[in-house]
C-alpha cells in the first residue's frame, strides 16, 4: 500500500463518526439518510464524512435509480488489515514473552 494512500486511510479513520459509518456499512449498504439517522448531524455533514471515506477508498457509491447507496470496500479494508497484521503479531509475541517472564518470576518467588 502506498504511503500517501495509507495516510488518507488513517486520516479518514481518525474520526469517530466515520468509524461508526464504516461499522454500519459492514452490516450492508445504506444511503445518506439511513447513515445520518443515529447521529445528530445534518445530511450535508454526513455527506462530507462519506466523501472523506470514499476518497480514502474505504467505501463505494452505487447507483440504483434515484438511490445512491454506499457500501464498504472490503478489499481496501483487507489491505489495511494486512498492513497492520505484522504489528499485531509483534505485540502478541511481546505479550506472550511478558507472560512467560511473569509466570517464571512468580514461580521463583514461591
Amino acid at each position: 500500500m502506498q504511503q500517501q494512500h495509507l495516510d488518507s486511510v488513517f486520516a479518514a479513520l481518525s474520526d469517530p463518526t466515520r468509524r461508526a459509518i464504516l461499522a454500519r456499512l459492514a452490516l450492508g449498504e445504506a444511503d445518506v439518510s439511513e447513515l445520518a439517522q443515529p447521529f445528530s448531524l445534518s445530511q450535508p455533514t454526513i455527506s462530507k464524512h462519506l466523501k472523506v471515506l470514499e476518497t480514502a477508498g474505504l467505501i463505494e457509491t452505487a447507483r440504483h435509480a434515484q438511490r445512491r447507496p454506499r457500501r464498504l470496500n472490503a478489499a481496501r479494508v483487507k489491505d489495511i488489515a494486512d498492513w497492520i497484521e505484522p504489528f499485531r503479531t509483534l505485540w502478541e509475541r511481546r505479550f506472550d514473552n511478558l507472560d512467560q517472564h511473569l509466570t517464571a518470576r512468580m514461580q521463583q518467588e514461591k
Side-chain angles (χ1 to χ4, degrees), residues 13-40:
L13 293 173
S14 70
D15 185 275
T17 300
R18 291 193 285 267
R19 290 192 305 271
I21 289 170
L22 286 179
R24 166 54 187 86
L25 290 175
L27 302 174
E29 67 181 33
D31 60 28
V32 176
S33 62
E34 293 169 320
L35 292 169
Q37 284 176 354
F39 305 103
S40 58

Side-chain angles (χ1 to χ4, degrees), residues 9-92:
V9 166
F10 282 112
L13 293 173
S14 70
D15 185 275
T17 300
R18 291 193 285 267
R19 290 192 305 271
I21 289 170
L22 286 179
R24 166 54 187 86
L25 290 175
L27 302 174
E29 67 181 33
D31 60 28
V32 176
S33 62
E34 293 169 320
L35 292 169
Q37 284 176 354
F39 305 103
S40 58
L41 301 172
S42 67
Q43 281 190 352
T45 301
I46 293 294
S47 292
K48 288 178 185 180
H49 283 297
L50 293 173
K51 183 66 178 165
V52 171
L53 292 168
E54 193 167 16
T55 300
L58 294 169
I59 65 170
E60 301 169 335
T61 302
R63 280 215 146 172
H64 299 295
Q66 296 290 328
R67 192 167 175 261
R68 295 184 59 190
R70 277 27 178 232
R71 63 178 164 244
L72 190 66
N73 181 350
R76 182 63 63 206
V77 174
K78 183 182 180 317
D79 289 344
I80 297 162
D82 291 346
W83 185 86
I84 290 174
E85 181 61 21
F87 300 102
R88 186 189 65 77
T89 303
L90 171 73
W91 280 104
E92 281 185 358

